[in-house]
Amino acid sequence: MTKYGSFPGTRPRRLRTTPAMRRMVAETRLHPADFILPAFVREGVREPVPITAMPGVVQHTRDSLKKAAAEAVEAGISGIMLFGVPEEAKKDAVGTPGTDPDGILQVAIRDVRAEVGDELLVMSDLCLDETTDHGHCGVLDEQGRVDNDATLERYAEMAQVQADAGAHVVGPSGMMDGQIGVVRDALDEIGRQDVAILAYTAKYSSAFYGPFREAVASSLKGDRKTYQQDPANWRESLRELALDLEEGADMVMVKPAGPYLDILARVADAVDVPVAAYQISGEYSMVEAAAEKGWVDRDRAIIETLTGIKRAGARNILTYWATEVARRLR
């Protein structure tokens, strides 16, 4: 046989010969502790409500949410990120349910903490979009624009009521300028230096959020392009990263995950804090829809997408498959 360079002496395929060999030399491994489960709890329902655009995902009742949290602990995942869906009549221009100690999110935080204690990190979405009648992530001014600084005042109140309810971690997700510093100050003001902040550092204005809007019964009018990042930009994400770290973020996140693996890799290379990525509703729904039609192998596609996210640099992954995949890994 003619020798070409190091071939035939060098044959990389030797390290791919059997499942045991491939397992031994794998460079990236998924582990149950990598995962955080996003979960929705809806006020005023007696049974879980299926989300039609997200097959297999529901809007939980308080009781079914507690069961999901217990299952997450059993599966060995690290956290649960809670989103509250208030009754429509309770929404208003300033998102009052978000700062009401008896608002559905705060009630759910207390429920889950009572159920699992410290065995699971209870994380709370810190944003107004689920609680406003206009569906934006902040307070609107007289011209209908999101008022950054007025919104920060609301975020400070939200941080405090979520901490009082028992959140281990708050996740400011509205992409307001200065939000991390304001939330950190608000938490420290009430002596909650122990509550960590997961910053939604690079949150892009994405078409893949569509199914999520059904999940949270969004009332959005218009779009969020004036505060979420432009998908065309990557330097902007590094600027946001520097600001979030300067303001006191304990962890940072890229959202969505799959379409922004390049951003995720850049962020992971730049920091020494934990980096998370959110595999969002549209990413989930595309795989489920293609699998339902028989176009992809569902289980392989799930593992492949999650492995790609971790390979790009995510230490933790928010995914609606968290409990399912953790069980499979165990």
Side-chain angles (χ1 to χ4, degrees):
M1 178 178 290
T2 304
K3 186 171 183 178
Y4 299 96
S6 59
F7 177 82
T10 300
R11 295 178 181 265
R13 286 184 56 190
R14 293 190 188 109
L15 300 183
R16 305 171 195 154
T17 52
T18 68
M21 177 66 79
R22 293 191 293 273
R23 185 169 61 246
M24 185 182 76
V25 301
E27 299 172 30
T28 304
R29 301 180 193 276
L30 296 172
H31 187 278
D34 296 337
F35 301 124
I36 297 164
L37 175 68
F40 309 100
V41 57
R42 179 172 169 180
E43 188 173 24
V45 295
R46 296 183 178 180
E47 299 291 337
V49 179
I51 300 168
T52 56
M54 300 177 68
V57 181
V58 301
Q59 294 172 325
H60 284 286
T61 66
R62 289 174 61 185
D63 285 340
S64 69
L65 178 65
K66 289 189 287 186
K67 180 181 178 183
E71 291 172 349
V73 170
E74 183 181 358
I77 74 174
S78 290
I80 186 168
M81 175 65 80
L82 301 180
F83 297 85
V85 184
E87 294 178 343
E88 194 68 26
K90 294 184 179 179
K91 296 181 180 181
D92 61 21
V94 296
T96 297
T99 50
D100 180 355
D102 294 320
I104 184 59
L105 180 55
Q106 287 69 253
V107 169
I109 293 169
R110 291 195 293 270
D111 283 345
V112 175
R113 279 301 302 270
E115 183 73 20
V116 300
D118 292 330
E119 293 187 83
L120 185 71
L121 285 174
V122 178
M123 312 168 100
S124 54
D125 179 58
L126 201 164
C127 196
L128 289 170
D129 58 321
E130 295 100 13
T131 60
T132 53
D133 55 12
H134 47 73
H136 277 286
C137 297
V139 178
L140 303 185
D141 64 16
E142 293 178 355
Q143 285 75 46
R145 301 169 300 187
V146 175
D147 186 325
N148 192 94
D149 296 4
T151 299
L152 294 181
E153 294 180 20
R154 299 291 293 135
Y155 285 4
E157 294 179 62
M158 291 183 76
Q160 292 177 341
V161 297
Q162 290 179 4
D164 286 342
H168 294 101
V169 180
V170 295
S173 61
M175 291 299 288
M176 295 297 118
D177 295 339
Q179 64 183 12
I180 302 304
V182 166
V183 167
R184 183 72 271 160
D185 287 346
L187 292 169
D188 292 351
E189 183 181 312
I190 61 170
R192 296 308 306 270
Q193 291 86 354
D194 58 319
V195 175
I197 298 176
L198 170 60
Y200 284 59
T201 291
K203 183 178 180 182
Y204 282 86
S205 179
S206 172
F208 293 98
Y209 295 132
F212 180 88
R213 292 179 182 171
E214 178 189 346
V216 297
S218 174
S219 303
L220 181 65
K221 300 174 180 66
D223 59 50
R224 300 186 173 118
K225 293 181 180 180
T226 64
Y227 46 102
Q228 293 178 350
Q229 285 186 225
D230 184 339
N233 296 346
W234 67 265
R235 290 181 178 86
E236 185 179 28
S237 66
L238 297 185
R239 185 183 187 197
E240 294 279 2
L241 175 64
L243 292 168
D244 283 354
L245 293 174
E246 182 182 350
E247 292 173 26
D250 300 289
M251 300 170 277
V252 296
M253 182 158 69
V254 174
K255 179 181 181 181
Y260 297 92
L261 295 181
D262 60 324
I263 307 301
L264 176 58
R266 291 176 188 273
V267 169
D269 285 345
V271 302
D272 57 3
V273 299
V275 176
Y278 196 147
Q279 185 182 55
I280 67 170
S281 59
E283 299 176 72
Y284 172 93
S285 296
M286 285 194 302
V287 171
E288 292 288 350
E292 189 274 331
K293 289 183 174 292
W295 293 344
V296 299
D297 181 316
R298 178 182 181 276
D299 290 351
R300 287 183 61 194
I302 291 170
I303 294 298
E304 186 173 341
T305 60
L306 293 171
T307 299
I309 294 166
K310 188 170 183 184
R311 188 184 64 241
R315 185 177 302 182
N316 295 106
I317 305 170
L318 286 82
T319 175
Y320 299 98
W321 291 305
T323 301
E324 174 189 340
V325 172
R327 285 171 171 163
R328 198 190 314 174
L329 293 172
R330 287 168 71 94

